[in-house]
Amino acid sequence: MATTTKAPVSTNALVGVSRKKRPSAKVTTIHPRGEFVGVEPKRTLGGIRIGDLLSILGAAVAAFALTIVLATQVAPITGGIAFFVVWYLTFVGLYALLVSIDDTKTFVMDRLIAVLVTSVAVLLFSVLIFVIVFVIGRGAEALPYLTFYTEDMGLAGPLDPLSVGGVAHAIAGSLIQIAIALAITIPLGIAAAVYLNEIPGRFSRFVRTIVEAMTALPSIVAGLFIFATAILMFGLPKSGLAASLAISVMMLPIMIRSADVVLRLVPQTLKEASIGLGASQWKTVWNVVLPTSRSGLTTSIILATARGIGETSPVLLTSGFTAELNVNPLESPMISLPLAIFQFVKSPEPTMIARGFGTAAVLMLLVLALFVIARIIGGMTPEKSARARIRRAEFFGWFAKTARTLTSIARRRTLNAKEPS
Amino acid sequence: MLTDTPRKLTIIRDGSDKVFRGVIRAGGSVVLIIMVLVGSFLGYRAAQALNMAGWSFFTEQAWEPDAGKFGIAAVIVGTILIATVAIIVALPLSLGTALFITEYAPRQLRSFLVSIVDLMAAIPSVVFGLWGFFFLQQAIVPVSRWISQYFGWIPGLGVTGVDPTDPLATTTVYTSSTFIAGIVVGIMVTPIVTSIMREVFSQTPVGEREGALALGATRWAMIRNVVLPFGQGGIIGGTMLGLGRALGETIAVYMIISPVFVIQPNILQNGASSVAALIALRYGESTEMGLSALMAAGLALFTMTLIVNFGASIVVARSRSGAAS
C-alpha cells in the first residue's frame, strides 16, 4: 500500500513520551496512490530517551546538592532518614520543575506519577530485601557451624559458644509436624474440594461458605481451640500431634479454597467428553479432572504447606517447649522452627539471639525451597508435562535402540571371532 | 404430528461411582463438621464468660478473669489501631507496587517481580517480628520523636510523660508502641495485598487500555480512567483481606508490643495491646474461667475478621473486576 499517514503525536502519547514542540507534529503527508515511497523506517515505540534520563539524573543531583546546602547552612537535618526524605521531596519538586519547562501540565502529572509509582515499588522491594538480608546477616554467625544442623540444644546452655548445640530438634520437629498435618489435610482437603465441584447443590454451597468463613480464622484461635479441646478436655499432652492438629485446622480451609478454584478451571468440555464416551463420574474425575489440574493442586498444597510451616501462634499454644530432639509426636513436647526462633530471641545472650536469627534463615530457606518447587510444578501445564513425557520416552527409546544396536554389534563381533576358529 | 415430550433422564450409577460419591461427600461433611465444631465450641465456651461478664465485656478495659473483671475494650481498640496503622502503611505501598508491576516495569522483569511478591507473601511472620524487634524498634525512634514534636497536637500522635522538644529526654517512651507494631504488620501484609491488586489490574481489558491510549491519553490518564476504575473492587477487596490478616496477626505483634490493659490512644507511645497477643500471653496461666474469657476474646476477633473477609469477597464479586468488556 502506498498510502501512509504520519501521525507522530499519537505514537508519542502511546508510549507516554512527549515533546510539545515537534516541527513535524502538524505535518500530515498523504502520498498519492501508486507513487513509490520507499521503505518506511521502523519507529521505536518504547525505550528510554536520553533527555528523560538526563532530566531525572539532573534533578537528583541538584536535589542532593540543595539538600546538603539546606542541611549545613539553613536548618539542621539530623539522621539519614531525615536527609533522605528531604532529598526525595526536593528531587520530586525539581523534576516537576524541569519537566514543566517544555511540557504541559498533563505531561508533568504523568511524569510525576511515574516517578512516584516507581519509587514506591523500589521502596517496598528494598525494604523486603532488607528484612531478609538483615535476618540472614545477623544469623550468619551461627550458620557456618555444622553442629548447628546436626545437634540439639539439650546439652548447650545459653552461655555456650555457637560451636555447641544446634537446631536439629527444631528442624525434625517442623518436618514431623508438617508431615502429620499434610497426612490429615491432603486427603480431606482434596476430597472436600472435589466434592464442592462434583456434587453441586445446596449442601455443597453451604460447605463452601463455611470453608470460606474459616479462612478468616486467626491462627491463634485455631491454636486456642486445639489447646482447649485436645489438650485440656481429652488430656492429650502438649506434643507434636497436638501441634499438627492445630496446623491442620489452620491449613485446611486455605487448601480447600485454592484447590476449589483450581478444580473449577478444568474445562467443562473435557469432562463432558469423558462422560460422553461412557466413563463413569469416578473415572472422569480420576482420569480427566485430577490429571488436568494436577499442577494447580500441587501448587495449592505446597503454598498451604509454606503457610503451615511458618506459622508460630498455633504451635506456641500446643506443642510445648523443649531443648532436646524428640521424634515421637505422641508424647512430650516437640519444638518447631518458628517456635525455636521465638524461644531463642527471648534470651538476652548474644549467642542465643544469633542462633535465633540463624534458625530464621533456615526456616526461610525451607519456605523458599517449597516455593521454588511450587513454581516449577505450577508452571507445568498438562501440555508441557506431556511433552516432557514424550521427550523422556524418546530418550529411552533412543537409549534402548542404541543398546540393541550395541548388543547386536557385540554379538556379531563374538560370532565373527568364533567363526575363524 | 408427533411432538417430542421431554423425557425423564434417570442416572444409573455403578458401584464405583456410588463409593466415590460417598467418599467425597464424607470428605466434605467431615470438613464441615470440623469447621462448625471449631466455631460452635468457641461460641459455647465464650458464652460462659459472656454470661458472667455481661455487657461490661465490651466496655471493661482490665483483664482479670479470675476476679470477674475483664473486658475487651482495651484490646479491641489496640487491635484496631495496629491494623489501621498497618493498612495506612500497606495501602500506598501495595497500590504503587501493583501499578508498577502491571504498568511501568519492563516486560522482561514483570514475571520475576510477580514471583518475588508471591514469595514475600510466604515469609513467616516471625521473621518480620525479628526484624521489627531488633532493627525497627531503634531505627524508628527519631521518626516517632519528630512526629510527636511537630504533630503532637493531633489527638493520638502526642506522647505523655516526656517533653518531645527536649533532646536529652529518654527515648524508651517511643519503643514497643502501636506505631512500630503497625508498621511491621503493614509491611508483612503488603505482599498479599499487592498480589491481589496486581492480579486484578492485569485483567483490565486490553481493548479499553488501547482505546484510551489511542485517544491520546498519557499513561497516567489511562491508568486513572481505565485501570483504577476497573480494579476498584480489587483495591478495596485486597485491602480488606490485608486488614483481616493484620487483625489476626499474633507473633510479630506479640514480640514488639509491651502489653497494657488500658485504652492507649497515643500510637507513638510505649504500650499497646491486641487480642491475638493477649491470647498468646495469657493462655498458659489460665483457669477454667480465664480460658473461657480468652475464648470470648478470640470469638470477638474472629467475628471481626469474618465480617472483614466476607465484606471483601462481596466487594470483589460485585465489582466489574474479572469481567471482560
Side-chain angles (χ1 to χ4, degrees), chain A residues 98-114:
Chain A
L98 261 179
V99 177
S100 68
I101 291 174
D102 55 2
D103 273 330
T104 56
K105 221 173 98 187
T106 323
F107 286 113
V108 175
M109 193 68 187
D110 182 54
R111 291 312 170 76
L112 274 189
I113 298 285

Side-chain angles (χ1 to χ4, degrees), chain A residues 91-408:
Chain A
F91 162 67
V92 171
L94 285 176
Y95 183 63
L97 196 70
L98 261 179
V99 177
S100 68
I101 291 174
D102 55 2
D103 273 330
T104 56
K105 221 173 98 187
T106 323
F107 286 113
V108 175
M109 193 68 187
D110 182 54
R111 291 312 170 76
L112 274 189
I113 298 285
V115 163
L116 286 179
V117 164
T118 311
S119 42
V120 161
V122 168
L123 178 70
L124 177 68
F125 284 116
S126 38
V127 165
L128 290 176
I129 287 167
F130 175 64
V131 170
I132 293 171
V133 169
F134 177 80
V135 168
I136 293 175
R138 289 282 300 261
E141 238 181 297
L143 290 175
Y145 295 95
L146 196 65
T147 50
F148 188 68
Y149 310 99
T150 56
E151 287 183 9
D152 61 16
M153 290 298 289
L155 298 171
L159 292 174
D160 278 328
L162 287 167
S163 53
V164 179
V167 291
H169 58 315
I171 297 175
S174 261
L175 293 180
I176 291 171
Q177 286 172 14
I178 204 74
I180 298 175
L182 284 176
I184 298 170
T185 48
I186 291 179
L188 259 183
I190 301 296
V194 170
Y195 168 71
L196 293 181
N197 278 280
E198 287 299 316
I199 313 185
R202 205 175 299 158
F203 186 64
S204 66
R205 261 207 309 280
F206 177 63
V207 174
R208 185 177 280 139
T209 314
I210 294 291
V211 166
E212 247 166 50
M214 275 305 172
T215 51
L217 186 77
S219 54
I220 185 101
V221 179
L224 190 65
F225 169 73
I226 294 296
F227 178 70
T229 52
I231 293 177
L232 293 184
M233 263 169 74
F234 300 122
L236 195 75
K238 279 197 171 187
S239 60
L241 182 64
S244 313
L245 291 178
I247 298 175
S248 305
V249 168
M250 195 207 84
M251 268 167 64
L252 200 52
I254 301 173
M255 193 187 285
I256 295 174
R257 206 174 169 186
S258 50
D260 180 30
V261 172
V262 169
L263 288 177
R264 227 181 294 168
L265 291 178
V266 175
Q268 198 63 34
T269 47
L270 276 184
K271 286 195 216 172
E272 281 166 5
S274 166
I275 289 173
L277 286 171
S280 64
Q281 192 177 17
W282 154 244
K283 286 281 179 202
T284 305
V285 169
W286 187 248
N287 291 324
V288 176
V289 176
L290 291 182
T292 315
S293 52
R294 189 174 59 187
S295 65
L297 288 178
T298 318
T299 312
S300 67
I301 290 171
I302 291 175
L303 291 182
T305 311
R307 269 295 288 287
I309 212 164
E311 203 57 76
T312 320
S313 33
V315 193
L316 174 71
L317 271 62
T318 48
S319 78
F321 293 99
T322 176
E324 285 172 15
L325 182 66
N326 171 24
V327 288
N328 181 2
L330 292 176
E331 55 190 58
S332 59
M334 178 195 272
I335 205 163
S336 58
L337 285 169
L339 199 57
I341 300 169
F342 184 67
Q343 184 75 348
F344 279 136
V345 300
K346 268 187 183 171
S347 159
E349 286 300 323
T351 53
M352 290 300 259
I353 292 174
R355 282 178 211 273
F357 276 100
T359 318
V362 172
L363 178 60
M364 281 198 296
L365 205 69
L366 205 60
V367 171
L368 177 72
L370 283 174
F371 194 82
V372 169
I373 295 171
R375 273 277 135 170
I376 292 171
I377 296 173
M380 235 190 248
T381 56
E383 190 190 346
K384 255 191 209 164
S385 54
R387 217 176 286 152
R389 219 167 25 241
I390 291 170
R391 249 202 317 277
R392 261 200 309 271
E394 274 172 358
F395 174 72
F396 283 118
W398 170 84
F399 192 73
K401 216 167 96 187
T402 320
R404 258 202 312 277
T405 326
L406 285 177
T407 40
S408 69

Side-chain angles (χ1 to χ4, degrees), chain B residues 6 20 26 91 108 119 127 141 154 172 189 191 199 282 309-312:
Chain B
F20 165 69
L91 181 58
Q108 306 89 320
L119 175 61
V127 172
V141 165
I154 300 173
T172 51
V189 300
E199 188 66 45
R282 290 294 176 85
N309 267 29
F310 266 121

Side-chain angles (χ1 to χ4, degrees), chain B residues 171-194:
Chain B
T171 56
T172 51
V173 76
Y174 298 107
T175 54
S176 304
S177 64
T178 308
F179 184 57
I180 301 171
I183 290 178
V184 171
V185 175
I187 291 172
M188 211 175 81
V189 300
T190 303
I192 304 157
V193 182
T194 308

